[in-house]
Amino acid sequence: MPELEKTAVRGPDERERLIGELRSHRIELEKQNEELRLARAEVEAGLQKYYELYDCAPIGYCTVDAEGMIRESNLAGALLLGVDRVRLLGGKVGDFVTETSRDGLVRFLERSFSPDNKAVGEIRVPDGEGSERYLYLEGSSFETVIGERHCRIAMMDITTSRQNSIELEHYRYHLEELVQQRTCELEAANTLLREQAENMNSIYQALDSIGLIVCHLEEDDARIDIFSAGAEKLFGYNQKEVIGRSLRLIVPPEGKAAMADQVGRLRRGVAMQSSDMTLTRRSGVRFPAVASIHPFARHAGRFTRAVGAFRDISELMLIHEKLQSMNDELELRVKERTAELHESNVALKVLLNKREEDKVTLSGQILANSAKLVEPYLERLLSSGLNEQQRMLVEILRANIEELTVPFANAISSKLSRLTPAEIQVANLVKLGKRTKEIAEIMRLSPGTISIHRKNIRRKLELTHKKTNLQTMLSTTS
């Protein structure tokens, strides 16, 4: 009985001690649960930042394995490759490029998975409208947590740059044809153009030169949430000192008034596509830039977030100014050369007209001399009682002389160009005052044939049914 009473007395104390230990364990578990909740919140915040920078970045990103299979891709990457992201994942990257680019893509992936772990390249992809787009690639390989080798690829559309380069090259060659010579100035211009093209490619290759900023959109302002390393380099601010501040921080005073209107358009879902603007650095220095800002995270009919890509285009502006100066200089040279050619053409036309006049004069003199100095003697020779062989030789001589003088007769007048050689010979004899019978004896034809030739001549010279004398008409025709 005493032992039972002792046990009963100690029983409540033991229960109190156990209850106290359980309460201590509960408090400790609640603290651990709170720490786990905070850690999870930090992880979710990190994942949200990754989504904003990776998935919504205006630059295309995708991750492929050693077989070329696409494991991950952001929205811009799927848009550049021209397919939905759902179809893109699990497919081979080579299936989305043109056939001519597949060998280059294979070499690019080989360099990416090489010990250097980095590679750059260029491919072409269909644009869905029967044409192609040019994409610049920059890749680097890494090892996953399960030991697999993957490659992360950054993609940018450089189609416009390519087209501009082609148009500039075509225009340069066109100007060379007009000027008709390659000068030292053009050699320097070509060298400068190649250097500037290399600079443009370097701008695309240097991804950290593009400033990415993620903002929270308010009613009339935008507050900075994320400030990338490229933005730090571009504007001179540290990320910690700009988080939560207004985007007006990088806008000059005269542009701040229009910012509220631009924020309103972004909240309505209107993106800013490659707009030129002037921005300011921390030092107060202004610089020209091109900006692309896209809204996202829609809530209650309004977009609450926006991601912007900013790039300094000071060097491109200098290139444009230099090219414009070169263009003005070349156009001036073309005008000067055109004026010189015009003067030369005028002088050449004068010489050609003089030559034609001399040719007509010479033709008339040759025909006149032939008719005056040769024909009379040939007629006398034929009527001097020649034998058959001698007459044949004289006829051959007359035919050869006619053959020589016919081209000159054809060149005397454009009005006589429609006459046959026999009609031209009759016309020349009529012009010399010969009658039909005399012409028939000279040409050894019948008078009826000569009459027909004369009628044809009057018809071709538009003298039919007119009283104009044929000899007078032929004498005044030049």
Side-chain angles (χ1 to χ4, degrees), residues 39-301:
R40 180 179 178 180
E42 291 179 359
V43 171
E44 290 178 351
L47 290 175
Q48 181 65 21
K49 286 187 177 181
Y50 168 79
Y51 171 78
E52 293 169 351
L53 285 176
Y54 180 82
D55 212 32
C56 297
I59 298 173
Y61 292 102
C62 68
T63 302
V64 301
D65 58 18
E67 301 298 327
M69 192 77 68
I70 299 175
R71 297 298 186 89
E72 294 180 358
S73 175
N74 67 349
L75 296 175
L79 182 62
L80 289 176
L81 293 177
V83 295
D84 295 334
R85 186 162 57 170
V86 176
R87 292 180 51 203
L88 187 66
L89 298 180
K92 287 195 173 183
V93 67
D95 297 337
F96 304 104
V97 304
T98 61
E99 185 175 354
T100 57
S101 297
R102 289 175 183 170
D103 292 338
L105 179 62
V106 172
R107 292 191 294 270
F108 168 78
L109 292 175
E110 290 175 351
R111 292 195 303 271
S112 299
F113 286 102
S114 67
D116 294 337
N117 295 335
K118 289 186 178 181
V120 296
E122 185 178 304
I123 60 173
R124 287 180 288 178
V125 298
D127 65 354
E129 298 179 357
S131 185
E132 298 175 349
R133 290 197 306 269
Y134 291 85
L135 299 183
Y136 168 78
L137 306 181
E138 182 172 304
S140 60
S141 60
F142 61 94
E143 186 172 342
T144 64
V145 294
I146 61 174
E148 294 182 350
R149 296 293 297 175
H150 286 182
C151 175
R152 185 172 290 111
I153 303 174
M155 299 176 288
M156 287 184 295
D157 191 341
I158 59 172
T159 305
T160 302
S161 174
R162 272 303 192 90
Q163 291 174 348
N164 290 340
S165 299
I166 293 172
E167 291 176 0
L168 287 174
E169 192 71 13
H170 175 74
Y171 188 56
R172 181 172 65 83
Y173 283 118
H174 178 63
L175 290 177
E176 285 180 354
E177 292 175 359
L178 294 177
V179 178
Q180 296 292 326
Q181 58 182 359
R182 292 181 176 269
T183 62
C184 295
E185 291 80 4
L186 280 177
E187 290 287 344
N190 293 338
T191 302
L192 178 61
L193 187 61
R194 287 192 294 268
E195 291 176 354
Q196 301 304 338
E198 293 174 358
N199 291 337
M200 291 180 65
N201 288 330
S202 298
I203 292 173
Y204 284 109
Q205 293 171 8
L207 296 179
D208 61 346
S209 65
I210 300 176
L212 293 178
I213 301 177
V214 178
C215 297
H216 177 77
L217 301 177
E218 299 178 352
E219 287 297 331
D220 58 354
D221 200 1
R223 300 289 175 178
I224 299 174
D225 288 339
I226 299 175
F227 207 71
S228 70
E232 292 179 346
K233 180 178 178 181
L234 184 62
F235 297 103
Y237 292 98
N238 183 274
Q239 178 171 334
K240 293 182 179 180
E241 61 184 339
V242 299
I243 296 300
R245 298 180 66 178
S246 172
L247 193 62
R248 289 185 172 91
L249 188 68
I250 62 173
V251 179
E254 63 273 13
K256 294 180 179 180
M259 187 171 174
D261 182 58
Q262 181 60 49
V263 170
R265 289 197 295 270
L266 290 172
R267 285 173 58 82
R268 294 192 299 272
V270 181
M272 179 188 293
Q273 299 282 0
S274 300
S275 299
D276 293 338
M277 59 178 57
T278 300
L279 302 176
T280 58
R281 307 187 199 276
R282 181 175 187 175
S283 60
V285 176
R286 301 186 180 195
F287 64 95
V290 60
S292 295
I293 305 177
H294 297 264
F296 65 98
R298 189 170 184 174
H299 178 71

Side-chain angles (χ1 to χ4, degrees), residues 406 409-410 415-428 443 452-454 456-457 459-460:
V406 163
N410 290 335
K415 293 183 178 180
L416 302 182
S417 60
R418 294 177 293 174
L419 303 183
T420 64
E423 291 171 348
I424 291 175
Q425 189 175 2
V426 172
N428 289 331
M443 297 183 65
I452 292 173
H453 283 319
R454 292 183 67 136
N456 290 335
I457 293 171
R459 178 176 56 80
K460 292 179 180 181

Side-chain angles (χ1 to χ4, degrees), residues 378-396:
L378 288 177
E379 293 179 18
R380 292 176 60 185
L381 188 61
L382 287 172
S383 60
S384 61
L386 299 177
N387 57 36
E388 189 64 28
Q389 183 177 7
Q390 291 171 338
R391 181 177 292 278
M392 183 181 299
L393 292 175
V394 173
E395 290 294 341
I396 292 173

Side-chain angles (χ1 to χ4, degrees), residues 413-469:
S413 174
S414 59
K415 293 183 178 180
L416 302 182
S417 60
R418 294 177 293 174
L419 303 183
T420 64
E423 291 171 348
I424 291 175
Q425 189 175 2
V426 172
N428 289 331
L429 293 175
V430 170
K431 182 179 178 181
L432 294 175
K434 303 295 183 180
R435 299 184 178 277
T436 301
K437 185 176 181 180
E438 294 174 333
I439 295 173
E441 293 177 355
I442 293 173
M443 297 183 65
R444 302 183 68 82
L445 298 172
S446 66
T449 301
I450 300 303
S451 297
I452 292 173
H453 283 319
R454 292 183 67 136
K455 289 181 180 179
N456 290 335
I457 293 171
R458 292 184 66 88
R459 178 176 56 80
K460 292 179 180 181
L461 294 182
E462 300 177 355
L463 298 177
T464 306
H465 306 302
K466 293 184 180 180
K467 296 182 179 181
T468 305
N469 184 271

